[in-house]
């Protein structure tokens, strides 16, 4: 049996009306499940910081590479929390 891994991702992106929807669509299409989501507008009001906790049996690199391709994403980082 393949173990489910849990990761926390921190995404900084342009604060546009559709950016959150695009990010969530990529997460869902890549087979990841969201267990937590928090977003905060940055000080300059042009950027947003999104912290999302995801879980999946799939490698996190699949999601990272797809999110990194999004035009509005300026910075992306993740860390492994645990394995279920």
């Amino acid at each position: 049996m393949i173990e489910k891994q849990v990761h926390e991702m921190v995404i900084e992106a342009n604060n546009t009306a559709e950016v959150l929807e695009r990010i969530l669509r990529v997460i869902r299409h890549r087979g990841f499940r969201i267990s937590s989501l928090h977003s905060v507008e940055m000080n300059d009001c042009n950027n947003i910081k999104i912290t999302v906790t995801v879980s999946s049996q799939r490698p996190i690199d699949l999601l990272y590479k797809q999110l990194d391709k999004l035009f509005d994403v300026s910075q992306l980082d993740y860390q492994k929390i645990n394995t279920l």
Side-chain angles (χ1 to χ4, degrees):
M1 181 176 165
I2 300 175
E3 295 178 341
K4 188 179 286 190
Q5 297 181 20
V6 180
H7 292 86
E8 181 178 83
M9 301 191 85
V10 179
I11 305 162
E12 289 186 25
N14 294 332
N15 192 7
T16 60
E18 65 278 351
V19 71
L20 185 58
E21 182 180 345
R22 286 183 182 155
I23 289 170
L24 293 176
R25 186 180 318 128
V26 169
I27 293 171
R28 182 174 50 90
H29 283 188
R30 293 296 166 244
F32 287 79
R33 185 175 197 154
I34 298 171
S35 58
S36 156
L37 175 76
H38 180 74
S39 65
V40 179
E41 193 172 64
M42 303 294 280
N43 292 336
D44 61 4
C45 297
N46 294 326
N47 292 309
I48 189 168
K49 183 177 183 179
I50 303 163
T51 304
V52 60
T53 304
V54 297
S55 61
S56 181
Q57 294 176 343
R58 305 183 87 188
I60 192 70
D61 289 339
L62 292 174
L63 180 58
Y64 181 90
K65 290 175 185 176
Q66 292 302 310
L67 288 173
D68 197 39
K69 290 179 186 179
L70 293 178
F71 177 76
D72 288 323
V73 173
S74 57
Q75 189 174 351
L76 182 61
D77 194 25
Y78 69 89
Q79 66 180 352
K80 185 175 181 180
I81 296 177
N82 64 7
T83 303
L84 299 177

